[in-house]
Amino acid sequence: MVVSSLSMNRSIGIDGLKGYCVVNEENVYGSKVINRLSDDLRKEFPEVRGFSPRNLKYMRSFAGAWPDPEFVQRAAAQIPWFHNCVILDKISERAAREWYIQRTIANGWSRNVLVHQIESGLIRREGRAVTNFSSALPAPQSDLARSVLKDPYIFDFLGIGEDAAERELERALIEHIRDFLLELGVGFAFIGNQYRLSIGGREFSIDLLFYHLKLRSYVVIELKIGEFIPEYAGKMNFYLSAVDDLLRHPDDSPSIGIILCKSQNRIIAEYALRDMEKPIGVAGYELTTHLPEDLRGRLPTVDELEEELGRREG
């Protein structure tokens, strides 16, 4: 029996599987050793599940990816097994794998949310927005606030065109508030849209108002369908002054502004924010996921999909 040398303790574990496979790794897949090992393990341990050939290969990959037992106990073992499988499948770089494991632990992501964050390239977007936080906020708060922002934000769940108007974009985000909150990240609580402020006998409306539970501060979001221009920073500074005066509790941290634009020139944004007193960030957003050019012509049309569905139902 293949497992005869492993079954003395009735507890094989990933390290045991790794040791077995390493003996003749070249033949593990070609000679169907994994399949035979799977059959023998099921017979030897009928009360234990998870010995399918596919799962054994994941165990082998897991053991190869994380040779340090301390990291396994501290991080990888703290997330569900199939989360680990997703990370092994979709990410090849060790540092990126560790990053997503740590974020999964911190945020409690489900497997579907983890897949979304990996496929949307969160590791490349987090903390990339142009901000003045280092000068407008104290060090601990500024670091945390910077990590909360992304650039760009991905709104491919909205189903609206690239030429959507600002109100249409705002309305779509509200209609998909669950997906919007997921893209914003953990800690955002939605307060309202077109939130009215009475200032100097006039009414002003904030596009979107949130409260961030970790930052302990109000977050004002303004949506712009075009490129960032410096005037937007002045208007946001005005809104933040009003929110701090009218809404902010004495125990709250300073309110933060996020200007979301279709596009932005980072140098112009940096100059616009440099001497602003209030903490403001500027980030872009994308309404669609862009496909590689070589794939666009190979995707099926709606008619082809309906025809295929009809054949299957028939």
Side-chain angles (χ1 to χ4, degrees):
M1 224 169 100
V2 170
V3 303
S4 59
S5 62
L6 301 174
S7 59
M8 298 295 291
N9 196 342
R10 295 189 64 79
S11 179
I12 295 174
I14 293 175
D15 286 339
L17 179 64
K18 178 183 178 183
Y20 174 83
C21 292
V22 141
V23 172
N24 196 355
E25 186 174 358
E26 186 176 323
N27 294 324
V28 165
Y29 299 105
S31 62
K32 305 294 184 182
V33 171
I34 287 289
N35 292 337
R36 289 193 293 136
L37 178 61
S38 173
D39 291 338
D40 288 341
L41 287 172
R42 286 166 168 171
K43 292 174 183 177
E44 187 74 8
F45 305 99
E47 72 282 5
V48 179
R49 300 180 61 185
F51 291 137
S52 67
R54 183 169 180 266
N55 216 30
L56 292 183
K57 291 177 182 178
Y58 274 123
M59 292 180 192
R60 172 67 182 91
S61 297
F62 182 93
W66 309 117
D68 180 6
E70 182 180 346
F71 178 82
V72 171
Q73 294 302 319
R74 186 180 73 253
Q78 305 306 312
I79 65 175
W81 171 245
F82 287 109
H83 285 57
N84 277 299
C85 294
V86 166
I87 289 171
L88 290 172
D89 274 344
K90 293 184 172 294
I91 306 170
S92 58
E93 299 84 3
R94 177 177 179 135
R97 286 173 170 174
E98 292 184 9
W99 191 90
Y100 280 104
I101 287 175
Q102 297 292 356
R103 289 302 187 277
T104 299
I105 295 172
N107 299 321
W109 289 336
S110 69
R111 182 167 52 163
N112 287 339
V113 170
L114 173 60
V115 170
H116 167 76
Q117 302 293 18
I118 292 173
E119 293 182 347
S120 68
L122 179 61
I123 192 173
R124 298 187 301 274
R125 299 186 291 125
E126 187 175 277
R128 289 282 300 158
V130 177
T131 75
N132 65 345
F133 294 167
S134 59
S135 61
L137 294 170
Q141 184 81 355
S142 64
D143 292 341
L144 178 58
R146 190 181 301 108
S147 70
V148 165
L149 271 63
K150 307 169 186 175
D151 185 31
Y153 287 83
I154 307 297
F155 298 151
D156 57 356
F157 53 84
L158 296 181
I160 59 178
E162 295 289 331
D163 56 349
E166 287 174 6
R167 284 300 179 88
E168 184 181 358
L169 174 60
E170 177 188 324
R171 184 166 53 251
L173 289 172
I174 299 305
E175 290 175 355
H176 296 80
I177 190 64
R178 179 179 177 277
D179 295 306
F180 185 27
L181 287 171
L182 173 61
E183 177 59 13
L184 287 177
V186 172
F188 282 88
F190 179 58
I191 304 298
N193 66 302
Q194 292 303 307
Y195 193 92
R196 294 188 177 277
L197 297 173
S198 181
I199 305 169
R202 293 180 55 188
E203 294 289 325
F204 296 87
S205 296
I206 294 172
D207 286 347
L208 299 164
L209 182 63
F210 293 83
Y211 188 85
H212 197 279
L213 302 177
K214 291 183 179 180
L215 294 172
R216 294 292 177 184
S217 65
Y218 283 98
V219 179
V220 175
I221 296 182
E222 284 289 292
L223 302 172
K224 303 299 178 183
I225 60 172
E227 185 176 6
F228 173 81
I229 57 175
E231 288 85 344
Y232 295 157
K235 185 178 181 182
M236 176 61 76
N237 198 72
F238 168 78
Y239 282 147
L240 292 175
S241 295
V243 170
D244 280 342
D245 186 47
L246 300 175
L247 303 180
R248 179 186 170 194
H249 187 273
D251 294 334
D252 286 338
S253 299
S255 302
I256 292 172
I258 305 175
I259 304 171
L260 291 181
C261 300
K262 188 66 177 297
S263 61
Q264 48 127 330
N265 183 303
R266 295 184 69 89
I267 295 177
I268 292 176
E270 288 171 1
Y271 270 104
L273 301 183
R274 179 174 295 180
D275 295 320
M276 285 289 173
E277 178 184 350
K278 299 296 184 181
I280 301 172
V282 179
Y285 63 83
E286 295 179 3
L287 295 178
T288 59
T289 300
H290 299 290
L291 294 173
E293 292 290 343
D294 60 342
L295 290 181
R296 293 182 181 179
R298 289 189 278 168
L299 294 177
T301 65
V302 173
D303 291 340
E304 289 170 338
L305 290 173
E306 291 179 346
E307 182 180 351
E308 176 63 21
L309 181 61
R311 285 200 300 268
R312 293 185 180 183
E313 292 177 346

